[in-house]
Amino acid sequence: MFISTYYVKMLCHVLLLWMISRTEGTLDSRYVKTRVIKELKRCKESMMPLADVLSSDFIGCGVECTANKECRRFMFDTETNLCSLFDFGANCPTGEHVDNKVCYRQEFVCNEVSCFRCPLGYYGDRCQHVATECAEVKGTLMDIDQNQHVLAFIRPSPTGPVIQVRCAIKSTGWWTAIQRRRKGCKEVDFNRTWDEYVDGFGDTHGEYWLGLKHAYDIIQLKGPCRLLIVWWLNDKTRHSAYYNGFNLTDASNGYNISLSGMQERDNATDYLTDGSYSIAGRPFSTYDRDFSGYGCPERLNGGWWYPRTPNCSLMNPSGRLLEDDTEASLRWDDNLINASKAYSFTLNVQCSY
Ligand SMILES: *[C@@H]1O[C@H](CO)[C@@H](O)[C@H](O)[C@H]1NC(C)=O
Ligand SMILES: *[C@@H]1O[C@H](CO)[C@@H](O)[C@H](O)[C@H]1NC(C)=O
Ligand SMILES: *[C@@H]1O[C@H](CO)[C@@H](O)[C@H](O)[C@H]1NC(C)=O
Ligand SMILES: *[C@@H]1O[C@H](CO)[C@@H](O)[C@H](O)[C@H]1NC(C)=O
Ligand SMILES: *[C@@H]1O[C@H](CO)[C@@H](O)[C@H](O)[C@H]1NC(C)=O
Ligand SMILES: *[C@@H]1O[C@H](CO)[C@@H](O)[C@H](O)[C@H]1NC(C)=O
């Protein structure tokens, strides 16, 4: 990767500053420059900083970040001198211009003996290990004020890449989000190819699909696993359901889903393993690799484990956000998730519990 001399100079500045502050008893720190990304203004959730302060330069902003125990990223605006501190995540989001802003992510914080305050998901005395799933991320934490969800790094396969995921934090522990639909920011097209559903797509700040291969790897390494579905049809009505047995076959077998032991919560109905609409044992289908028998990915506009019935499915979590009630609309049974309403749908896996 190309590293400009400007960047090297900046880095030397930072190092010098840490050396100075170290002699005064503060901690040595390591920051890497990362991206400032433009978000939609309505994407407030991801843009919410831990704190906004004024600082003379980006180094001062880094000092502010080091002093805040929740801070893992900071964004400094060279025009307004506004220093925004953020918690976990890879980049800095803003609803405004990106031109005058710089973003630095903390890799880890060390003292003479060891490193701590690793990026969320990394652990070990030199931050040398990475969690496999969100349930394991929870166990690596010592001091974090818990939100409803956080972004964390995991490595689903020991030989695979480290990826950023969304962790849902529930009374039943931490869950790794496989799919997330949410109105408001980063709306994503779910009409995708087989390869995209295998690798994953979307944005952890908004709507996303983890990737079948990553879900498979987590299950392989950590199983047995369970599945949690949570959806809001509007901003008042919440439904959720657990399936105590959740497994996938490997890629060569089409990632067939096995699902059992539904435990209803909040008056949810079992639309996934009951009767002719059961998806248990069914392979995954996309428009370019369709095992549904009825052209379902094309008709419903997304990839899913479709039951083998002419009506395709009672629900369509990979559908489109429409105002009309069609089979391609994002919906759960006859509850159309109307485009004009607030909604969310998440599919989460948890193995170590
Ligand atoms: C889904 O994507 C395919 C391939 O790009 C395209 O042919 C098809 O028209 C899309 N479906 C919809 C409803 O946009
Ligand atoms: C999950 O499925 C795989 C085969 O794809 C199997 O080897 C494994 O034992 C299953 N795990 C559980 C907990 O049933
Ligand atoms: C579940 O149904 C009961 C009876 O209809 C109702 O009183 C209760 O409010 C419902 N709970 C939820 C979470 O919708
Ligand atoms: C996966 O589903 C397909 C289609 O129903 C079926 O032919 C195949 O035997 C299944 N594979 C496994 C391992 O269950
Ligand atoms: C399929 O949908 C049609 C029209 O909504 C309905 O009349 C029929 O009963 C459904 N078939 C099944 C097997 O659910
Ligand atoms: C969706 O909401 C819009 C605006 O409230 C309304 O005009 C439309 O009829 C609704 N669609 C359905 C199918 O309920």
Side-chain angles (χ1 to χ4, degrees):
M1 201 195 286
F2 172 72
I3 301 173
S4 71
T5 50
Y6 176 61
Y7 175 48
V8 171
K9 260 193 223 161
M10 301 255 264
L11 200 67
C12 290
H13 249 302
V14 177
L15 286 175
L16 186 68
L17 192 102
W18 297 140
M19 284 165 71
I20 294 165
S21 52
R22 200 175 162 136
T23 59
E24 290 164 356
T26 16
L27 297 167
D28 189 12
S29 234
R30 193 173 142 190
Y31 285 92
V32 289
K33 195 170 187 183
T34 177
R35 287 195 310 139
V36 178
I37 45 174
K38 177 115 183 186
E39 297 263 334
L40 295 173
K41 284 260 192 194
R42 60 189 166 162
C43 208
K44 289 198 191 74
E45 184 189 291
S46 74
M47 284 194 284
M48 205 69 80
L50 294 165
D52 274 332
V53 293
L54 287 174
S55 179
S56 55
D57 55 12
F58 81 96
I59 297 172
C61 189
V63 173
E64 295 284 349
C65 185
T66 305
N68 183 318
K69 95 175 152 64
E70 304 266 311
C71 184
R72 295 295 184 283
R73 293 169 288 158
F74 69 83
M75 180 169 70
F76 181 68
D77 188 322
T78 52
E79 214 159 63
T80 62
N81 283 18
L82 188 67
C83 166
S84 306
L85 310 183
F86 294 95
D87 58 8
F88 304 100
N91 305 300
C92 297
T94 177
E96 294 150 17
H97 297 299
V98 301
D99 316 342
N100 305 309
K101 297 180 176 69
V102 288
C103 179
Y104 283 84
R105 188 178 79 225
Q106 211 173 50
E107 289 272 78
F108 45 76
V109 178
C110 305
N111 62 21
E112 282 78 359
V113 188
S114 63
C115 296
F116 54 97
R117 199 193 267 189
C118 307
L120 189 56
Y122 286 82
Y123 63 99
D125 58 3
R126 310 300 305 177
C127 305
Q128 71 273 41
H129 305 300
V130 191
T132 306
E133 56 161 336
C134 290
E136 200 184 326
V137 174
K138 183 186 182 214
T140 68
L141 286 179
M142 284 182 287
D143 56 349
I144 178 177
D145 297 334
Q146 297 197 348
N147 301 309
Q148 277 182 307
H149 36 71
V150 293
L151 301 181
F153 296 99
I154 62 166
R155 178 155 40 212
S157 153
T159 54
V162 173
I163 55 171
Q164 188 177 252
V165 293
R166 175 171 286 266
C167 302
I169 302 172
K170 308 284 174 194
S171 57
T172 46
W174 285 40
W175 298 75
T176 308
I178 295 176
Q179 184 179 26
R180 183 172 192 244
R181 304 300 307 270
R182 181 178 182 278
K183 189 179 176 178
C185 89
K186 291 287 172 82
E187 278 152 26
V188 166
D189 187 358
F190 277 70
N191 178 37
R192 302 272 182 151
T193 61
W194 176 265
D195 287 347
E196 289 174 293
Y197 271 97
V198 169
D199 293 343
F201 57 82
D203 191 299
T204 45
H205 287 302
E207 299 193 308
Y208 92 111
W209 178 267
L210 173 69
L212 290 164
K213 70 175 181 195
H214 299 312
Y216 174 78
D217 285 340
I218 292 171
I219 297 169
Q220 280 296 105
L221 217 58
K222 293 281 168 178
C225 309
R226 55 183 183 168
L227 192 74
L228 168 65
I229 296 172
V230 182
W231 69 100
W232 295 81
L233 293 174
N234 50 52
D235 49 16
K236 289 185 206 73
T237 324
R238 172 183 187 270
H239 293 288
S240 61
Y242 291 90
Y243 289 86
N244 272 329
F246 168 53
N247 201 355
L248 295 176
T249 63
D250 64 16
S252 65
N253 279 299
Y255 293 113
N256 297 25
I257 191 169
S258 78
L259 207 54
S260 60
M262 194 263 194
Q263 283 180 8
E264 166 265 318
R265 302 281 158 112
D266 314 320
N267 300 334
T269 312
D270 180 11
Y271 290 123
L272 295 182
T273 61
D274 193 35
S276 64
Y277 286 99
S278 173
I279 66 169
R282 297 292 297 152
F284 199 83
S285 283
T286 54
Y287 69 78
D288 62 335
R289 249 192 107 177
D290 184 4
F291 301 98
S292 70
Y294 295 97
C296 299
E298 215 180 310
R299 285 166 51 193
L300 274 61
N301 288 190
W304 189 248
W305 296 274
Y306 293 104
R308 198 176 184 89
T309 97
N311 284 6
C312 288
S313 186
L314 286 174
M315 24 70 76
N316 188 11
S318 301
R320 279 184 198 282
L321 187 58
L322 303 171
E323 291 210 354
D324 302 320
D325 195 358
T326 73
E327 64 179 357
S329 310
L330 184 69
R331 73 200 146 79
W332 192 271
D333 190 26
D334 46 6
N335 297 300
L336 166 74
I337 298 173
N338 194 321
S340 63
K341 289 182 190 163
Y343 74 90
S344 75
F345 173 89
T346 59
L347 193 68
N348 309 281
V349 60
Q350 185 188 59
C351 302
S352 320
Y353 57 90

